[in-house]
Amino acid sequence: MLNLYNSLSKKQEIFVPIHKGEVGMYACGPTVYGFTHIGHGRKYVTDDVLKRTLEVLEELKVKHVQNVTDVGHLVSDGDEGEDKMEKGAAATGKTVWEVAKEYTDYFNKVMKELNVLTPTVICKATEHIDDQIALIEKIIANGFGYDTEEAVYFDVTKFKDYGKMFNQTFEDKTIGAREEVETGKYKKHPADFVLWFKRVGKFRDHVMHWNSPWGDGFPGWHIECSAMSMKYLGEQFDIHTGGEDHLSIHHPNEIAQSEAATGKKPFVKYWMHTTFLMVDGKKMSKSLGNLYRLSDLAEKGFSPLTLRYYFLTTHYRKQMNFTWEGLSGAKNALAKLNKTVIDLSDVPVTADGWSDEGRDYYEKFIMAMEDDLNTSLALSVVWEMMKSKISDGAKKNLIVVMDSVLGLNLGKEEILDIPKEIMDLLAKREEARKTKNWEASDRIRDEILAQGYRVYDFADGAKVKKI
Ligand code: AMP
Ligand code: ZN
């Protein structure tokens, strides 16, 4: 039985789906105002491993819904600050719509490279404005929302248990919306948060705006996730995921909005939060500007699946500190594992799965994954199994199943990393080309070729491929 840590009850619980045989899972998606970084990768790889575990090991049908926050949400998770999308647009000189499209495409590309399976439904906030308005109307009709000259607010004092997820009280500074929209003089309580912003005051020129029963404006950030999750998964569903930053504001607000609108508790049965990826001991976030992208890793010869392997070596609720040494270790380990799987290339996968000799490893693998997705333990079982004396046939069958959960694409030659020596030679050749030293550039190309890699020149630089 799958055990999951539930951030709401703050303990590990046995996972029992609301509807037999199926799972409704909602993942807070990206805010598309900047490039996807490796911190995002950790969160979505965790979601992906959860989904694969549910499907492959628990044999459940998963409906995975993920939003795209393309309507700006303000710079902090509360309601203060500039609009994230407009900030992104101003930085690049593009329209907010162009910014959203560009970064959404980039996010999708990164997810593909990390071998994250595409969600069943991907929903954009800007395409669900009517659903958000309808939900706000319900919240107001049930007595949990109020209209003011600046914005429509959620009245947190009316909602018993508000902030339960993060053990917050109304006296806490971290609760709800921390600052006022403008002057905040219309708010009844400092923790009340915005459901609908009006296009007045500092938001009078807000680029993205829609008509609503409360006038021209745009939705607050939290309402999109309540509206879209319930639209696609029903008023109550199984699992909701997010990064740990959502524990204090976004998810308590989602719970309050949804339960206030439907009167049903719980809105979500299991809440799952991935701990942030740090870099050199510091928080990694768009706002701090200390982010690495997949392209930064590629420049140093690391493939996206090496990063995936690296993520799997740490439990998703443990803090993970990204270092280049750690990534190098993952690269070596994955290359070795790949080699052992490639060596089994000619062994057929048989229809009846693995033989009895492999059963212990299979059970141990499941036990590790069912222990709140203990991927590092599961990886150790993979190694133990591959090094064991069981037959190649059993190994091949087992590795296929295990990899369908881990998603490392094991045994596929093309994912092998390019060695550092080759990447260094490639960088040297780029230098030579920049200074138009064609003779040196050709010589280095031949050197690379002699080591088994062919160089291809593209508009934005050269790439190598193993021959
Ligand atoms: P954002 O695009 O900032 O809204 O983030 C999208 C998702 O990635 C959210 O669920 C965040 O909690 C999560 N996230 C952002 N930064 C990190 C990080 N450094 N480590 C892990 N998850 C993150
Ligand atoms: Zn969300």
Side-chain angles (χ1 to χ4, degrees):
M1 270 181 294
L2 175 63
N3 280 264
L4 284 182
Y5 180 84
N6 187 349
S7 320
L8 194 58
S9 65
K10 294 168 199 68
K11 55 177 195 265
Q12 207 160 298
E13 294 176 16
I14 293 174
F15 177 73
V16 182
I18 298 172
H19 304 288
K20 201 165 179 282
E22 25 183 282
V23 180
M25 166 177 165
Y26 183 86
C28 282
T31 307
V32 283
Y33 82 108
F35 286 112
T36 306
H37 55 69
I38 57 173
H40 296 123
R42 180 174 200 210
K43 192 264 171 188
Y44 294 103
V45 165
T46 304
D47 288 358
D48 188 55
V49 168
L50 168 67
K51 176 179 168 181
R52 288 166 179 266
T53 301
L54 291 164
E55 287 187 333
V56 179
L57 302 181
E58 309 301 312
E59 296 177 21
L60 296 164
K61 190 168 169 16
V62 180
K63 183 168 180 186
H64 175 196
V65 179
Q66 189 170 293
N67 67 305
V68 177
T69 302
D70 56 347
V71 55
H73 89 68
L74 305 172
V75 167
S76 92
D77 281 356
D79 296 327
E80 74 227 71
E82 276 177 277
D83 180 294
K84 284 191 171 180
M85 294 282 304
E86 289 190 4
K87 195 175 164 215
T92 55
K94 293 179 180 154
T95 71
V96 286
W97 303 95
E98 283 165 346
V99 169
K101 162 105 181 55
E102 193 177 310
Y103 292 131
T104 305
D105 291 348
Y106 184 77
F107 174 81
N108 293 336
K109 181 169 164 278
V110 169
M111 291 302 118
K112 225 177 160 157
E113 289 182 342
L114 286 171
N115 203 22
V116 167
L117 301 169
T118 309
T120 326
V121 177
I122 296 180
C123 40
K124 292 184 180 172
T126 50
E127 290 172 3
H128 293 77
I129 300 296
D130 289 349
D131 300 289
Q132 296 175 65
I133 290 175
L135 195 64
I136 298 170
E137 284 182 313
K138 269 196 201 168
I139 293 169
I140 297 174
N142 291 351
F144 293 90
Y146 59 93
D147 190 11
T148 73
E149 284 185 30
E150 288 171 344
V152 178
Y153 288 103
F154 187 94
D155 187 343
V156 293
T157 59
K158 296 262 168 63
F159 189 76
K160 205 176 145 280
D161 289 345
Y162 181 75
K164 185 178 153 205
M165 174 178 270
F166 205 53
N167 285 338
Q168 296 171 112
T169 67
F170 286 130
E171 284 69 48
D172 286 343
K173 294 240 169 0
T174 52
I175 201 163
R178 286 165 291 192
E179 296 281 317
E180 293 77 19
V181 177
E182 173 113 298
T183 65
K185 63 185 174 199
Y186 301 104
K187 258 193 195 189
K188 291 189 191 161
H189 190 284
D192 289 352
F193 59 89
V194 175
L195 296 169
W196 186 265
F197 284 98
K198 297 192 179 180
R199 210 160 166 251
V200 294
K202 71 173 176 185
F203 296 121
R204 73 186 157 271
D205 298 323
H206 203 270
V207 183
M208 285 185 168
H209 59 104
W210 295 266
N211 255 328
S212 82
W214 317 283
D216 190 24
F218 57 100
W221 171 43
H222 316 287
I223 198 74
E224 70 177 82
C225 285
S226 287
M228 294 191 279
S229 62
M230 292 199 287
K231 173 170 182 151
Y232 293 106
L233 297 171
E235 292 179 342
Q236 293 178 293
F237 58 91
D238 297 296
I239 304 176
H240 196 311
T241 71
E244 63 174 332
D245 56 328
H246 293 340
L247 277 163
S248 61
I249 296 179
H250 183 47
H251 289 165
N253 290 358
E254 264 192 59
I255 294 173
Q257 294 167 153
S258 309
E259 294 183 359
T262 66
K264 294 182 188 166
K265 271 176 192 287
F267 159 50
V268 174
K269 226 174 148 186
Y270 306 90
W271 287 85
M272 191 169 155
H273 292 93
T274 299
T275 303
F276 262 36
L277 180 73
M278 317 280 279
V279 170
D280 297 326
K282 291 199 198 79
K283 187 182 161 191
M284 182 177 188
S285 74
K286 284 173 196 158
S287 14
L288 291 180
N290 63 344
L291 358 120
Y292 290 128
R293 292 199 241 155
L294 286 188
S295 49
D296 298 313
L297 272 53
E299 264 173 32
K300 293 183 191 272
F302 295 105
S303 72
L305 290 174
T306 289
L307 182 65
R308 186 171 172 119
Y309 185 98
Y310 188 30
F311 288 150
L312 298 184
T313 60
T314 307
H315 187 258
Y316 75 92
R317 285 200 303 116
K318 284 217 179 101
Q319 196 162 80
M320 181 168 182
N321 188 29
F322 175 93
T323 62
W324 291 106
E325 296 75 41
L327 190 63
S328 291
K331 175 174 169 170
N332 292 339
L334 180 61
K336 261 195 218 151
L337 187 59
N338 258 318
K339 168 102 181 46
T340 58
V341 180
I342 288 167
D343 288 345
L344 300 174
S345 298
D346 297 334
V347 178
V349 178
T350 50
D352 58 351
W354 52 92
S355 63
D356 284 346
E357 52 179 334
R359 181 148 304 274
D360 266 8
Y361 295 109
Y362 182 64
E363 298 297 344
K364 279 168 85 174
F365 182 82
I366 294 194
M367 277 170 73
M369 292 309 292
E370 286 191 337
D371 183 13
D372 195 27
L373 310 181
N374 194 338
T375 48
S376 54
L377 195 60
L379 273 179
S380 72
V381 178
V382 169
W383 277 104
E384 200 188 327
M385 186 274 290
M386 289 305 279
K387 285 179 179 164
S388 75
K389 299 252 180 294
I390 63 171
S391 68
D392 283 354
K395 280 184 188 172
K396 180 70 178 266
N397 281 299
L398 278 168
I399 202 69
V400 167
V401 181
M402 291 173 176
D403 195 30
S404 61
V405 177
L406 301 174
L408 292 168
N409 263 349
L410 293 170
K412 313 249 165 64
E413 192 98 42
E414 67 268 25
I415 67 153
L416 289 176
D417 288 295
I418 308 296
K420 184 167 180 316
E421 306 81 74
I422 303 292
M423 292 309 290
D424 289 348
L425 280 173
L426 195 66
K428 254 197 197 163
R429 181 173 172 272
E430 287 294 283
E431 276 310 307
R433 281 168 66 82
K434 264 189 211 145
T435 54
K436 298 196 173 7
N437 186 347
W438 307 120
E439 194 198 321
S441 140
D442 286 352
R443 186 172 28 78
I444 301 170
R445 187 198 55 212
D446 293 344
E447 223 176 294
I448 294 175
L449 192 63
Q451 297 198 41
Y453 293 84
R454 195 181 300 284
V455 178
Y456 294 90
D457 289 308
F458 290 88
D460 59 347
K463 294 189 197 310
V464 285
K465 197 172 175 188
K466 201 167 195 302
I467 310 169

